[in-house]
Amino acid sequence: MNKKTLKSLQALKLKKYRYDHKKFLIEGKRLVEAALEHDYPIKEIYCTKAFLVKNKEWTVLDTIPIENISIVPETELKKISNTVSPSGVGAVCKIKPNELINFNKAKWIYLDKIKDPGNLGAILRSAAWFNLGNIAISPECVDLYNPKVIRSAMGSQFALTIHRDVELDTFKETHTIIASSLEGEKLEGFKFPDRFVLVFSNEAHGLSQSRKSSVNTFVNITRLGSGESLNVSNAASIIMYFTSQFFTTSTT
């Protein structure tokens, strides 16, 4: 790896550079496998000799053109890595263009000013698990390609259709917009509409005042014990589970 390439890969730790060059870095076998499984465009793969020796039967590399695979020293991989102990393999992925929203898709997740990368990644994992594959992210959210988001999502983002820099009122004429509130309707008895957007908000401040006017209805997760509130990713998972239960029972 020459100095110019090393410098450009190190720069992918910065949001500005990622978007200027429309690429980001992923690390580890699981993430590389997830990207390939969902036909996500991989530009290059970097791995160490030690990784190749340890993973002789890893057939993933057979699906990548040989000219796109580089064997690099561990010292260089550490310089481009976002972790203290790199796993020995990483890949550069292309940032896909922001697609037009398909309003024919019935079920959506909207994320409002989510700032914690771990929370954003966890919500994406839950969305993939519960087959809520259409995600819209507000302009103020933490960057989707932030290394901590990439790690915490654990590859689930490759299974989702994610739209960046979307305003909530985009869905006002086409979907029922649902957010959570302590004063909302009990989730246990709530009947989800056929077309909806689930809104999950900033961890500390809740839903933006500017976007509250777009919400049609609020739901409430019943508190059975103590505590002021739930972590946003935990609350999101619970509400997503209820939507899956409703649509499973309503179609049988």
Side-chain angles (χ1 to χ4, degrees):
M1 185 188 301
N2 58 44
K3 290 184 179 179
K4 183 179 179 181
T5 300
L6 178 60
K7 187 176 180 180
S8 67
L9 291 173
Q10 288 177 307
L12 293 180
K13 297 177 183 181
L14 304 175
K15 178 180 177 179
K16 180 183 184 302
Y17 193 92
R18 290 194 290 268
Y19 284 95
D20 283 347
H21 294 269
K22 297 180 174 58
K23 57 187 181 181
F24 63 100
L25 184 71
I26 61 175
E27 299 181 57
K29 289 173 61 176
R30 181 180 296 181
L31 284 176
V32 173
E33 289 168 351
L36 291 171
E37 179 185 350
H38 296 287
D39 297 319
Y40 203 93
I42 286 180
K43 296 174 71 68
E44 301 103 20
I45 285 184
Y46 297 91
C47 56
T48 63
K49 286 184 179 179
F51 175 85
L52 291 176
V53 170
K54 188 177 179 181
N55 296 273
K56 291 179 180 179
E57 298 182 2
W58 197 46
T59 58
V60 164
L61 293 179
D62 298 333
T63 67
I64 304 294
I66 190 68
E67 63 270 20
N68 292 348
I69 302 174
S70 297
I71 301 173
V72 298
E74 290 185 24
T75 53
E76 291 187 354
L77 195 66
K78 283 185 177 181
K79 289 179 181 178
I80 66 174
S81 174
N82 293 290
T83 59
V84 176
S85 301
S87 64
V89 62
V92 176
C93 293
K94 181 179 179 181
I95 292 180
K96 291 182 177 180
N98 218 7
E99 300 177 13
L100 294 175
I101 290 176
N102 182 354
F103 292 102
N104 291 323
K105 299 292 186 180
K107 295 180 281 186
W108 284 81
I109 302 293
Y110 183 88
L111 304 179
D112 173 48
K113 293 187 178 180
I114 303 296
K115 296 297 187 181
D116 184 276
N119 280 339
L120 179 55
I123 292 170
L124 296 180
R125 287 178 67 184
S126 294
W129 183 268
F130 291 114
N131 197 30
L132 292 165
N134 302 295
I135 313 294
I137 298 179
S138 79
E140 305 90 351
C141 277
V142 61
D143 180 34
L144 178 63
Y145 304 105
N146 178 296
K148 291 182 180 179
V149 174
I150 297 294
R151 288 200 302 274
S152 60
M154 296 185 68
S156 59
Q157 63 270 51
F158 300 122
L160 304 168
T161 302
I162 304 176
H163 301 263
R164 305 182 303 274
D165 301 330
V166 178
E167 287 297 340
L168 184 56
D169 60 9
T170 302
F171 298 96
K172 203 169 183 179
E173 303 299 325
T174 57
H175 292 70
T176 300
I177 299 176
I178 304 167
S180 62
S181 168
L182 293 176
E183 291 76 39
E185 183 176 341
K186 284 188 176 181
L187 191 57
E188 293 87 345
F190 184 74
K191 183 177 180 181
F192 286 90
D194 292 332
R195 298 169 61 81
F196 63 80
V197 178
L198 297 177
V199 181
F200 303 116
S201 307
N202 180 275
E203 302 87 342
H205 305 293
L207 184 61
S208 307
Q209 288 296 325
S210 60
R211 295 187 176 115
K212 265 188 179 179
S213 60
S214 296
V215 177
N216 300 114
T217 189
F218 291 88
V219 294
N220 173 35
I221 300 171
T222 302
R223 179 173 56 190
L224 301 178
S226 61
E228 182 181 343
S229 63
L230 286 170
N231 173 282
V232 64
S233 61
N234 292 335
S237 296
I238 293 169
I239 294 174
M240 288 186 220
Y241 172 76
F242 269 85
T243 69
S244 68
Q245 290 297 102
F246 174 78
F247 281 98
T248 300
T249 56
S250 65
T251 55
T252 56

